[in-house]
């Protein structure tokens, strides 16, 4: 029986794969096996393409490691041959590591053949001088790799230092082109306008799927020769900080592309404002956390992912009962409709939407649906930036507390840092309160193109398919500003099964409670014979709560 031989081919880059290296190594192995009567195994491929041997990744993660495991498991017969172009294909690690690997293969009973010099390193009869030569060869390969790594790093560092005069690389976003002298980028206007449209729609609450679907439906051509706009590509654009001019250099470490150094601001020309970019990121994050999925392409549920049954905490969904006197569209507890685990009835959606839009004045339709207000956007951007900074500081404070709990690392420095962080957090909290006050007092100029509130509410009715964009904007506002919306669709004489917000939000009538992200809330109750005029409205802020009845009588209660 002929001895079995296994050809191991390793190439550092895909460029070599597109060239002649793969063919050369494959043909050389076949030629040697035929000349020496070896049974070359073609069903056990050992190819590490684009896998580095400099730090041993081909052993940890690659096919060479798979081969060694097969040898140790007895799946590879002793006396078999491992055929390589040269020893540096096996390892370019430090000499001691490379020598250990070389000897490990031989000690497992596998012979090594190097095609570059037709040298055979026999498992049971390897001369001392051959072992020394193998160490010298792999040591030289390691030195060459190390020198190359240093030179490439130095070259990139020099390029990075010269950014003011020449860009690092010609590779750039699809809406830009690099000038011939490589000193600046030129914006491709039609593509940049598309990017701005994408961010404007995302800012209004549309997701990657919706935007891609709309582009494909209207025949907008993609940047590449693909078959259309894809949700995944749209999502990448929405996360790409190059739209605000930022560039993050990368380099390959152990075959993996990793960030290299800090991001470079102003590297590209910005085509989207940083404030809008941050709003889009926050919106996508909040909608994802609160269960926003793909919206339909015709009608939008304003309360998806937010509305819950006040009795059982189940999600509320839309139920269409069709035409007829008992027909219509309702919002109903899923546990009641599908699983019969709740006795809650439903609320006619048209009435619920209208009462919500009419009386939840925190939702200002003139702002949400009106023309952009630069002053308001500036304040909102400030709140967003402060909130983000607050989250980071609170995380740092938690880590400082962990250090303080460790007796070995507790010291004056950690304590001083805790005091400093607490002061910064307090100040930013005050800044946010101030900005929110400015936002509440900000006078938005009326948009003459908008109809009256009542007409606008009629225009965005569920049955009006033309209101898709407006409904998307409203749903986005609700998703970003409402922490919880509890519906109690039944008239109850006894106490509620639970009270979620505060005890005094409960009403025995049909009612709903809105808890906002700032901690305030509003509860509205209705009688069964008039679902469009509230009986009682309760609002709460940091100081207390206010009760208003349908006659306009107001009672103010301050928290003690």
């Amino acid at each position: 029986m002929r001895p079995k031989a296994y050809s191991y081919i390793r190439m550092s880059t895909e460029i070599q794969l597109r060239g002649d290296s793969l063919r050369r190594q494959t043909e050389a192995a076949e030629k040697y096996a035929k000349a020496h009567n070896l049974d070359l195994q073609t069903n056990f491929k050992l190819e590490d393409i684009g896998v580095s041997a400099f730090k041993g990744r081909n052993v940890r993660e690659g096919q060479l490691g798979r081969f060694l495991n097969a040898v140790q498991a007895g799946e590879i017969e002793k006396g078999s041959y491992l055929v390589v172009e040269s020893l540096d294909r096996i390892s370019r690690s430090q000499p001691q590591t490379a020598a250990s690997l070389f000897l490990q293969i031989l000690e497992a009973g596998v012979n090594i053949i190097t095609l570059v010099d037709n040298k055979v390193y026999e498992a049971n009869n390897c001369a001392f001088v051959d072992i020394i030569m193998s160490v010298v060869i792999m040591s030289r390969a390691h030195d060459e790799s190390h020198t190359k790594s240093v030179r490439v790093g130095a070259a990139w560092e020099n390029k990075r230092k010269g950014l003011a005069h020449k860009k690092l690389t010609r590779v750039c976003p699809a809406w830009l082109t690099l000038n011939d002298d490589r000193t600046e980028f030129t914006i491709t206007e039609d593509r940049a306008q598309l990017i701005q449209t994408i961010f404007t729609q995302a800012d209004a609450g549309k997701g990657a799927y919706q935007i891609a679907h709309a582009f494909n439906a209207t025949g907008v051509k993609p940047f590449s020769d693909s078959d259309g706009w894809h949700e995944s590509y749209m999502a990448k654009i929405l996360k790409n900080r190059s739209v605000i001019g930022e560039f993050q250099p990368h380099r390959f470490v152990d075959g993996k592309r990793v960030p290299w150094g800090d991001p470079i601001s102003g590297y590209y020309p910005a085509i989207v404002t940083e404030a809008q970019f941050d709003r889009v990121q926050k919106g996508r994050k909040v909608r994802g956390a609160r269960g926003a999925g793909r919206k339909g392409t015709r009608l939008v549920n304003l309360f998806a992912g937010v509305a819950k049954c006040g009795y059982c905490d189940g999600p509320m969904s839309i139920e269409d009962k069709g035409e007829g006197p008992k027909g219509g569209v309702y919002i109903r507890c899923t546990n009641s409709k599908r699983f019969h685990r709740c006795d809650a009835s439903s609320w006619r959606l048209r009435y619920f939407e209208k009462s919500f839009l009419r009386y939840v004045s925190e939702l200002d339709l003139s702002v949400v649906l009106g023309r952009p207000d630069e002053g308001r956007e500036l304040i909102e951007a400030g709140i967003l930036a402060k909130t983000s900074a607050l989250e980071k500081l609170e995380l740092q404070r938690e880590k400082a507390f962990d250090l303080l709990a460790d007796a070995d690392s507790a010291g004056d420095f950690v304590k001083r840092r805790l005091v400093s962080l607490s002061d910064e957090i307090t100040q930013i909290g005050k800044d946010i309160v101030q900005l929110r006050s400015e936002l509440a007092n900000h006078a938005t100029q009326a948009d003459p193109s908008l109809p009256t509130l009542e007409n606008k509410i009629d225009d965005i009715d569920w049955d009006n398919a033309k209101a898709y964009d407006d409904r998307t904007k409203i749903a986005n506002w609700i998703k970003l500003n409402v922490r919880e919306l509890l519906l109690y669709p039944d008239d109850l004489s006894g106490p509620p099964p639970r009270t979620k917000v505060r005890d005094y939000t409960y009403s025995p009538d049909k009612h709903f409670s809105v808890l906002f992200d700032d901690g305030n809330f509003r509860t509205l109750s209705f009688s069964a014979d008039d679902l469009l005029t509230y009986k009682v409205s309760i609002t709460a802020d940091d100081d207390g709560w206010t009760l208003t009845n349908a006659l306009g009588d107001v009672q103010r209660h301050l928290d003690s």
Side-chain angles (χ1 to χ4, degrees):
M1 178 182 286
R2 293 185 298 163
K4 292 182 179 180
Y6 300 83
S7 174
Y8 175 61
I9 296 173
R10 186 192 63 77
M11 293 175 291
S12 298
T13 65
E14 293 289 345
I15 296 174
Q16 289 175 294
L17 177 62
R18 294 195 295 269
D20 199 46
S21 183
L22 179 60
R23 181 199 60 77
R24 186 186 71 249
Q25 294 186 56
T26 302
E27 290 182 355
E30 292 172 349
K31 184 178 179 181
Y32 185 93
K34 184 177 181 180
H36 294 82
N37 197 32
L38 300 177
D39 183 10
L40 187 64
Q41 302 297 296
T42 57
N43 60 343
F44 195 98
K45 275 197 169 186
L46 295 172
E47 294 179 359
D48 281 328
I49 310 300
V51 179
S52 172
F54 179 37
K55 295 185 179 180
R57 183 166 166 251
N58 61 327
V59 177
R60 294 193 311 275
E61 306 172 18
Q63 292 300 308
L64 183 59
R66 171 177 168 241
F67 176 79
L68 293 174
N69 290 335
V71 170
Q72 293 171 357
E75 299 172 9
I76 304 295
E77 299 174 4
K78 290 190 175 184
S80 298
Y81 290 82
L82 179 64
V83 183
V84 297
E85 185 177 46
S86 59
L87 287 178
D88 64 358
R89 296 293 176 185
I90 296 177
S91 179
R92 301 178 77 92
S93 297
Q94 294 181 355
Q96 61 268 33
T97 303
S100 176
L101 175 61
F102 174 77
L103 293 174
Q104 179 185 350
I105 297 171
L106 296 181
E107 289 172 359
V110 176
N111 307 296
I112 300 175
I113 297 170
T114 53
L115 298 174
V116 70
D117 53 6
N118 287 337
K119 178 70 177 176
V120 180
Y121 298 89
E122 296 182 2
N124 299 318
N125 189 28
C126 187
F128 178 74
V129 68
D130 289 339
I131 296 176
I132 297 300
M133 285 305 300
S134 70
V135 174
V136 171
I137 292 170
M138 289 185 287
S139 177
R140 184 187 303 141
H142 170 76
D143 290 343
E144 290 174 353
S145 294
H146 178 70
T147 301
K148 181 180 179 182
S149 175
V150 171
R151 287 175 177 172
V152 169
W156 272 91
E157 187 61 36
N158 286 334
K159 283 186 176 182
R160 185 174 176 127
K161 291 177 179 177
L163 285 179
H165 310 290
K166 186 170 288 189
K167 300 300 179 183
L168 280 173
T169 172
R170 286 190 175 276
V171 178
C172 62
W175 53 90
L176 301 174
T177 54
L178 184 62
N179 293 350
D180 292 337
D181 59 7
R182 298 185 62 175
T183 58
E184 61 181 352
F185 294 99
T186 299
I187 298 174
T188 304
E189 291 297 338
D190 57 340
R191 292 189 171 189
Q193 289 174 7
L194 272 182
I195 298 297
Q196 290 162 352
T197 299
I198 290 170
F199 272 87
T200 298
Q201 294 189 8
D203 201 6
K206 293 185 179 180
Y209 170 78
Q210 289 176 281
I211 302 171
H213 182 278
F215 275 21
N216 291 329
T218 54
V220 178
K221 293 183 178 179
F223 295 152
S224 63
D225 294 328
S226 67
D227 56 351
W229 292 88
H230 294 271
E231 179 183 3
S232 58
Y233 181 65
M234 199 67 73
K236 286 180 180 178
I237 289 176
L238 290 171
K239 293 187 293 186
N240 194 341
R241 296 185 65 84
S242 63
V243 298
I244 59 174
E246 189 173 290
F247 171 57
Q248 174 61 69
H250 287 76
R251 64 175 176 179
F252 284 92
V253 176
D254 289 341
K256 296 181 180 179
R257 189 169 179 266
V258 298
W260 181 42
D262 295 328
I264 303 170
S265 300
Y267 181 84
Y268 299 119
I271 59 173
V272 172
T273 67
E274 194 164 346
Q276 186 179 50
F277 183 86
D278 288 342
R279 282 200 307 273
V280 169
Q281 305 318 304
K282 180 192 175 185
R284 288 170 59 80
K285 180 180 178 181
V286 172
R287 288 193 298 271
R290 293 182 175 170
R294 291 181 176 180
K295 294 186 177 68
T297 56
R298 180 177 178 269
L299 298 174
V300 178
N301 178 3
L302 301 183
F303 314 106
V306 177
K308 293 183 179 180
C309 174
Y311 305 116
C312 74
D313 209 27
M316 304 292 288
S317 59
I318 303 301
E319 180 182 32
D320 191 343
K321 295 185 178 180
E323 303 294 334
K326 294 185 178 180
V329 183
Y330 295 81
I331 185 167
R332 184 176 178 186
C333 171
T334 301
N335 287 336
S336 173
K337 180 175 68 173
R338 296 182 182 176
F339 309 115
H340 307 291
R341 294 198 294 259
C342 178
D343 296 328
S345 63
S346 56
W347 199 318
R348 187 177 286 272
L349 184 64
R350 176 170 292 162
Y351 294 157
F352 179 70
E353 283 190 351
K354 286 190 174 182
S355 59
F356 185 96
L357 297 173
R358 181 183 291 172
Y359 298 123
V360 180
S361 57
E362 289 83 357
L363 166 57
D364 189 339
L365 291 181
S366 64
V367 173
V368 175
L369 303 180
R371 294 171 180 171
D373 183 331
E374 292 184 3
R376 174 175 288 272
E377 289 183 355
L378 188 62
I379 299 172
E380 290 175 341
I383 294 174
L384 184 59
K386 293 287 184 180
T387 303
S388 178
L390 184 62
E391 291 173 355
K392 292 177 182 178
L393 287 172
E394 288 175 339
L395 183 59
Q396 291 179 31
R397 184 167 64 176
E398 287 181 17
K399 292 180 179 179
F401 275 124
D402 291 339
L403 285 175
L404 196 59
D406 184 349
D408 293 333
S409 57
D412 291 339
F413 172 78
V414 177
K415 293 176 181 177
R416 287 197 303 271
R417 183 58 179 150
L418 267 174
V419 172
S420 174
L421 286 169
S422 297
D423 290 343
E424 291 182 66
I425 289 171
T426 300
Q427 183 56 53
I428 289 183
K430 292 178 179 178
D431 293 343
I432 292 175
V433 170
Q434 176 63 32
L435 286 169
R436 282 179 173 162
S437 175
E438 291 179 17
L439 187 64
N441 296 325
H442 180 78
T444 301
Q445 188 172 0
D447 186 344
S449 65
L450 279 179
T452 62
L453 176 62
E454 287 301 316
N455 289 338
K456 194 60 187 175
I457 291 175
D458 290 336
D459 287 343
I460 61 174
D461 188 275
W462 172 268
D463 291 335
N464 183 4
K466 294 180 181 179
Y468 177 79
D469 286 345
D470 285 349
R471 293 183 66 87
T472 298
K473 292 177 182 178
I474 295 170
N476 185 56
W477 185 94
I478 293 172
K479 188 77 69 175
L480 295 181
N481 293 277
V482 176
R483 189 181 306 169
E484 191 171 53
L485 170 61
L486 299 175
L487 276 73
Y488 299 84
D490 299 294
D491 298 327
L492 298 174
S493 56
R498 68 184 187 88
T499 53
K500 184 69 179 249
V501 185
R502 297 186 187 179
D503 290 340
Y504 47 75
T505 65
Y506 174 67
S507 165
D509 300 300
K510 182 188 287 280
H511 68 285
F512 64 85
S513 293
V514 190
L515 175 64
F516 298 97
D517 271 344
D518 60 7
N520 296 338
F521 74 85
R522 178 182 292 273
T523 293
L524 291 155
S525 63
F526 302 82
S527 61
D529 57 351
D530 186 358
L531 295 178
L532 292 177
T533 304
Y534 74 85
K535 287 178 61 178
V536 176
S537 171
I538 302 174
T539 59
D541 52 32
D542 293 335
D543 298 324
W545 55 280
T546 302
L547 184 149
T548 308
N549 62 25
L551 299 176
D553 298 329
V554 178
Q555 299 179 35
R556 176 67 171 162
H557 297 263
L558 298 178
D559 288 339
S560 57

